[in-house]
Amino acid sequence: MKLMNPYNEFSRILTRFENGRISTEDAIQKITTNSKSIVDDRNKGETLEALIKELDQMVGLEMIKKFVREVYAYIDIQKKRRDEQLLTDSLVMHMIFKGNPGTGKTTVARLLGKIFLEMGVLEKGHLIEVERADLVGEYIGHTAVKVRDHIRKAIGGILFIDEAYSLARGGEKDFGKEAIDALVKGMEDYKDNLILILAGYHDEMEIFLKSNPGLKSRFPIHIDFPDYELDDLIQIGELMVEKREYKLSMSAKAKLAKIVTKKRLEDRVLSGNARLVRNIIERAIRKQAVRLQKVSSVSKDDLITIRGEDITEGDL
């Protein structure tokens, strides 16, 4: 297991100190004690270049790729402004993710945590994923306690709330509004070392934000996650099997395209995404295993090739 490069960590602490994200006392303490918690929490051996390359290799998501490069450029220019003793600003990074299930929202949030850790924007870069049930309590005062608990766990990283619009659906006697108020307070209290991401369906998130005008202004970054096109989904399927050291035959690609097209016509919301493809691929790998088990002699090419007969719709 590789340990964190102490020179990289030293540089990161100085960057956070220059950004005004930690006090002088905190910076000195972190440099002198080489805080073990940071070593334990970060994803070891991953460089910023490697993480951005990983993002670039993801299919689609051009908006988020452009955004990451803007943040990187901003941080670099702010450092140069400080060197010239010019005024600098800190970044407000709270975000809204809008899109259907399976379009990459959670995957991107997790990767952003790692990228922002390397950039010095976040101290730990971990992701805490929650939903309404994790935040809304059953009696007065319970909700605020639950929200504060999750905020504390997320400090230094990202608090990701899926289907965030559900917080405003309970009516007057529901504690969802209390959860929203507690989240807003947490955003302010830990604005220098916490990113809050609210995620959900596009239309529902728009309605949610309009229902609370003060909330929208606190989230300067809005990212749309469009449904994948057919070509994108086939490419995602190929990447999935490649990572597992398999490959799709021409007949398998054709069968995959046929099933995905059919599902997209039946339900565009739930089928225009990578989750459908992943389920098909995982089923195909199991089907291939059953098929090969019945063969007396199996070559390496047999072991890595997914054929058309392995791609089935089943109960997807």
Side-chain angles (χ1 to χ4, degrees):
M1 180 181 294
K2 294 181 180 179
L3 292 177
M4 175 172 27
N5 185 326
Y7 297 102
N8 290 346
E9 180 57 19
F10 180 78
S11 177
R12 184 177 297 107
I13 292 170
L14 288 181
T15 298
R16 291 184 54 74
F17 173 63
E18 291 174 347
N19 283 338
R21 292 180 176 274
I22 56 174
S23 66
T24 304
E25 292 79 7
D26 286 341
I28 293 173
Q29 181 182 14
K30 289 179 184 300
I31 291 171
T32 55
T33 63
N34 191 25
S35 177
K36 183 178 182 298
S37 63
I38 298 178
V39 175
D40 292 338
D41 285 331
R42 70 169 295 181
N43 194 325
K44 301 172 182 62
E46 290 185 294
T47 65
L48 178 59
E49 292 76 14
L51 290 167
I52 291 180
K53 182 178 179 181
E54 182 180 346
L55 177 64
D56 284 339
Q57 289 175 340
M58 295 179 70
V59 177
L61 304 176
E62 298 307 320
M63 188 175 182
I64 196 72
K65 294 172 185 176
K66 178 182 177 183
F67 163 69
V68 168
R69 281 173 168 73
E70 288 175 352
V71 173
Y72 188 38
Y74 180 87
I75 292 172
D76 183 49
I77 294 302
Q78 290 299 298
K79 183 179 184 305
K80 291 177 180 177
R81 287 178 60 88
R82 283 193 299 274
D83 292 342
E84 297 295 333
Q85 298 183 342
L86 296 170
L87 289 176
T88 60
D89 294 317
S90 59
L91 283 170
V92 178
M93 302 289 284
H94 303 303
M95 308 178 201
I96 300 292
F97 282 5
K98 293 176 284 189
N100 289 327
T103 49
K105 298 188 294 296
T106 307
T107 301
V108 166
R110 189 172 290 111
L111 187 55
L112 284 181
K114 297 177 184 179
I115 289 173
F116 290 155
L117 166 64
E118 293 299 327
M119 287 183 179
V121 176
L122 292 172
E123 187 175 320
K124 296 181 179 179
H126 62 301
L127 180 78
I128 299 296
E129 184 179 357
V130 298
E131 54 187 20
R132 176 189 163 89
D134 300 309
L135 301 174
V136 178
E138 299 176 356
Y139 51 84
I140 295 174
H142 188 207
T143 295
V145 172
K146 294 182 75 172
V147 172
R148 285 197 296 268
D149 181 53
H150 283 99
I151 286 176
R152 280 194 295 269
K153 292 177 182 177
I155 290 174
I158 294 174
L159 180 60
F160 181 88
I161 305 177
D162 199 14
E163 297 184 0
Y165 49 81
S166 63
L167 293 174
R169 281 186 170 176
E172 290 296 324
K173 296 183 179 181
D174 184 72
F175 295 121
K177 183 178 183 300
E178 184 182 351
I180 295 172
D181 293 340
L183 286 168
V184 169
K185 185 177 187 306
M187 291 167 60
E188 293 300 318
D189 291 345
Y190 303 102
K191 60 184 177 180
D192 292 333
N193 200 21
L194 173 70
I195 293 175
L196 179 61
I197 298 179
L198 303 185
Y201 292 100
H202 187 280
D203 292 345
E204 282 83 348
M205 289 301 295
E206 286 292 335
I207 294 171
F208 169 60
L209 292 172
K210 289 177 181 177
S211 70
N212 190 325
L215 191 62
K216 186 172 184 178
S217 63
R218 299 178 186 274
F219 291 85
I221 301 163
H222 291 231
I223 305 290
D224 287 317
F225 287 73
D227 292 338
Y228 292 107
E229 298 300 327
L230 179 59
D231 288 347
D232 293 332
L233 292 172
I234 301 305
Q235 185 180 350
I236 288 171
E238 291 181 298
L239 290 172
M240 286 179 179
V241 297
E242 182 180 328
K243 287 182 178 179
R244 302 184 187 194
E245 294 191 340
Y246 289 89
K247 66 179 181 180
L248 295 175
S249 67
M250 290 302 296
S251 62
K253 291 180 187 179
K255 189 78 171 291
L256 177 61
K258 181 179 178 181
I259 293 175
V260 170
T261 300
K262 178 176 179 292
K263 289 292 183 181
R264 283 158 61 86
L265 290 173
E266 293 173 353
D267 186 349
R268 177 79 185 197
V269 171
L270 297 178
S271 298
N273 58 50
R275 193 172 301 164
L276 169 66
V277 175
R278 184 186 66 224
N279 291 340
I280 295 173
I281 293 300
E282 289 178 350
R283 178 192 292 274
I285 290 174
R286 297 195 301 270
K287 292 283 187 181
Q288 185 234 36
V290 172
R291 174 172 58 81
L292 293 180
Q293 197 176 39
K294 300 174 183 177
V295 179
S296 58
S297 178
V298 179
S299 67
K300 181 179 179 180
D301 190 63
D302 291 330
L303 291 170
I304 67 175
T305 303
I306 302 295
R307 299 179 180 176
E309 60 198 279
D310 301 321
I311 303 287
T312 59
E313 183 176 349
D315 57 356
L316 294 170

